[in-house]
Amino acid sequence: MEKTQIKLKNSLLLLLTATIWGVAFVAQSVGMDYMGSFTFSAVRNLIGGVVLLPVIWFLGRGKNKQPLPAPHCKENNRTLIAGGIACGVLLCLASNFQQLGIKYTTVGKAGFITACYIVIVPVLGLFLKKSCGPFIWLAVILALAGLYLLCIQDGFSVGKGDFLVLICSVLFSLHILVIDHFSPLVDGVKMSCIQFFVCGILSGIPALIFEEPTLSGIAAAWIPILYAGVMSCGVAYTLQIVGQKGMNPTVASLILSLESCISVLAGWLLLGQSLSARELAGCIIMFCAIVLAQLPQKKSPAISPRATDNL
C-alpha cells in the first residue's frame, strides 16, 4: 500500500512537471522576441541553478544524519557530479537542437517529433533490460496517435528542421534514461542544480560567439525568463528527477508527454489561440493513454523488480 502511494505521489509530481513545461511554451515564445535562443537557454538555466542553492541549504540544514565514512562520501560525491554533468550536457544539447530545429519547421511538427521520446524511451530501454508490459506499449501507440492529432495539421514530411528536432527527441530520451539511472543513487535537488549550471554555462558559450546578449534585452523579457528559469527549470526539472525515482522510465515519459496537451490548452487560455475538434480529440486520446499506463500489471518473475516497476 505504501509503495502504491509513493508511485501515485511520483505520478502527480510528473504531471505537475508536464503542466509547468506546457505553460512554459508561452514564456519561451514571448522571450524569443527579445533575445537569441542560446542566450535565453543560458540565462534561464543559470537562474534555475541559482534558485536551487538556497533550497539545497534549507533542506540540508533540516537533516540530522550521521556523516558517512570518507570513502563512501567521496564515492557519493563523484556519482552526484557525474550524474549532474551527464544530465546537464544532454539537457543543453536537446534544448538547443530543439530551438535550432524550430527555425526550419513548424511549431506543431516540432512538438510532435519532440514528444516521440514516448516511443524512443521504451525502445532504448529494451537494450537496458527495462521491460514494458502490453498495456504500456498500447499506451505508447495511443499517445503517439493523440500527439499526431494534436500537433500535425498539414501533410507530414521530413525536412532539415524535422531532422534536428528528431535528434533533440533522442537526446531527451537519453536524458530520461540517465535520470532513471542516477536518481535513486543521489540527491535529486543537488543533481538538478548541477545540471542547470552545466547547461547554462555550455549554452552561454555559443550565445557569446553567435549572438549579442544585452542586459536591456534580458530585462525587457524579465517575466517570461523568470518563469522559464524559476518554474520550468528550477522547479519542473527538479520535480522530474524526484518524481522519476523508482518509476519505469516509459511510464514517466508518457506522463511528461502531456506537456503537448497542456501547451495547446495554455495557448488557448493565455494567448487566445483556438482549440479545434481535432486537437481536442488528440488531448482526450493522450489522457486515455496515460490512464491506461497507470493500470496495474502482472510482473514477470524472470525480470528484476526494478525493470518492471510499472504503475
Side-chain angles (χ1 to χ4, degrees):
M1 183 67 180
E2 182 180 351
K3 189 175 181 180
T4 302
Q5 291 177 343
I6 292 174
K7 289 180 179 180
L8 177 60
K9 182 192 75 172
N10 288 356
S11 295
L12 292 175
L13 290 177
L14 292 177
L15 179 60
L16 180 57
T17 301
T19 302
I20 295 172
W21 283 347
V23 178
F25 276 101
V26 176
Q28 282 184 267
S29 177
V30 176
M32 289 299 100
D33 294 334
Y34 300 93
M35 68 193 75
S37 59
F38 287 115
T39 302
F40 189 87
S41 181
V43 174
R44 69 180 289 197
N45 279 282
L46 291 176
I47 290 175
V50 170
V51 165
L52 289 184
L53 290 176
V55 175
I56 292 171
W57 174 82
F58 180 79
L59 293 176
R61 190 184 65 167
K63 291 181 179 178
N64 184 20
K65 58 183 181 180
Q66 295 292 331
L68 294 172
H72 288 143
C73 184
K74 289 181 179 179
E75 182 179 350
N76 186 65
N77 286 337
R78 283 198 296 266
T79 304
L80 174 64
I81 293 172
I85 292 176
C87 289
V89 171
L90 287 170
L91 179 62
C92 174
L93 291 173
S95 58
N96 285 302
F97 262 108
Q98 182 188 54
Q99 197 62 45
L100 288 171
I102 289 175
K103 294 181 179 180
Y104 304 103
T105 187
T106 64
V107 173
K109 289 176 72 175
F112 173 74
I113 297 172
T114 299
C116 282
Y117 59 69
I118 62 174
V119 175
I120 299 173
V121 167
V123 171
L124 292 178
L126 292 176
F127 295 97
L128 301 175
K129 297 182 180 179
K130 294 185 177 295
S131 177
C132 297
F135 280 5
I136 301 298
W137 284 107
L138 180 58
V140 167
I141 295 172
L142 279 176
L144 195 61
L147 280 168
Y148 184 88
L149 292 175
L150 183 66
C151 301
I152 306 302
Q153 303 299 326
D154 302 319
F156 191 88
S157 59
V158 179
K160 177 181 178 181
D162 303 327
F163 182 70
L164 291 173
V165 178
L166 181 60
I167 295 175
C168 147
S169 184
V170 174
L171 291 167
F172 271 130
S173 302
L174 293 173
H175 184 252
I176 291 173
L177 292 173
V178 168
I179 288 176
D180 176 69
H181 172 74
F182 282 102
S183 61
L185 306 176
V186 299
D187 186 305
V189 180
K190 290 181 180 179
M191 187 171 78
S192 185
C193 183
I194 294 173
Q195 84 162 343
F196 293 139
F197 281 119
V198 170
C199 182
I201 292 171
L202 292 179
S203 297
I205 295 173
L208 293 174
I209 295 175
F210 301 111
E211 299 172 355
E212 297 180 359
T214 62
L215 290 177
S216 60
I218 295 172
W222 70 273
I223 294 179
I225 207 165
L226 275 182
Y227 181 88
V230 176
M231 295 301 295
S232 182
C233 284
V235 175
Y237 276 106
T238 303
L239 288 177
Q240 180 196 8
I241 290 175
V242 175
Q244 266 196 240
K245 186 174 292 187
M247 287 193 68
N248 185 298
T250 300
V251 176
S253 69
L254 281 166
I255 298 174
L256 294 174
S257 69
L258 280 175
E259 68 171 304
S260 297
C261 289
I262 295 166
S263 66
V264 173
L265 294 174
W268 173 49
L269 293 173
L270 301 178
L271 300 179
Q273 297 175 347
S274 61
L275 189 66
S276 67
R278 177 191 176 100
E279 291 171 331
L280 184 60
C283 290
I284 293 173
I285 292 174
M286 284 193 67
F287 179 77
C288 292
I290 302 305
V291 172
L292 181 63
Q294 309 306 306
L295 296 179
Q297 301 174 67
K298 293 182 179 180
K299 296 181 179 180
S300 172
I303 301 177
S304 65
R306 188 161 181 259
T308 57
D309 197 14
N310 299 329
L311 287 178

